[in-house]
Amino acid sequence: MSHIIGGSAFGRGDALIDTTDAVLLDGTSVAVIGALRQEGVETVIALELRGRVNHATERSDVLYLLNGEGAADIISQLLGVAHRANPKFLNELLERIGQLP
């Protein structure tokens, strides 16, 4: 199983990455769904991530269900790590996002 071992949210070079069973992402799909709750319908984002398992021919296809907090957590962490990696990388990422329909 793959893991991020150690490290910190704002660290650089302080984590060990085990890529043994990492998935090499080659496809994503998203949809908005409604989850029936006692209080009414909650908006949920369905996020499907697909790819080939590292060093193998098998594939992985996992569906994640995210509420607003979960989606915000993923987005903020991706933007944060993009900026820490290189501010130019973040700018290029934001330009690409700006070109989306």
Side-chain angles (χ1 to χ4, degrees):
M1 178 178 281
S2 302
H3 295 286
I4 298 175
I5 303 163
S8 59
F10 298 98
R12 191 174 190 109
D14 63 347
L16 177 63
I17 310 296
D18 175 1
T19 63
T20 305
D21 294 318
V23 175
L24 306 172
L25 186 68
D26 63 17
T28 60
S29 297
V30 293
V32 176
I33 60 175
L36 188 57
R37 304 283 189 244
Q38 282 186 325
E39 305 81 29
V41 177
E42 177 186 5
T43 300
V44 175
I45 295 173
L47 169 64
E48 184 179 39
L49 301 176
R50 298 178 299 280
R52 181 178 60 80
V53 176
N54 198 20
H55 303 296
T57 57
E58 83 178 89
R59 296 193 51 81
S60 174
D61 188 338
V62 179
L63 178 67
Y64 297 89
L65 301 177
L66 310 167
N67 62 11
E69 186 175 325
D73 187 49
I74 289 174
I75 292 166
S76 64
Q77 287 201 42
L78 286 172
L79 292 175
V81 76
H83 182 263
R84 291 191 306 276
N86 185 333
K88 182 180 175 186
F89 179 78
L90 175 61
N91 290 335
E92 292 170 356
L93 176 62
L94 292 174
E95 281 180 30
R96 183 161 183 195
I97 289 171
Q99 295 169 3
L100 295 172

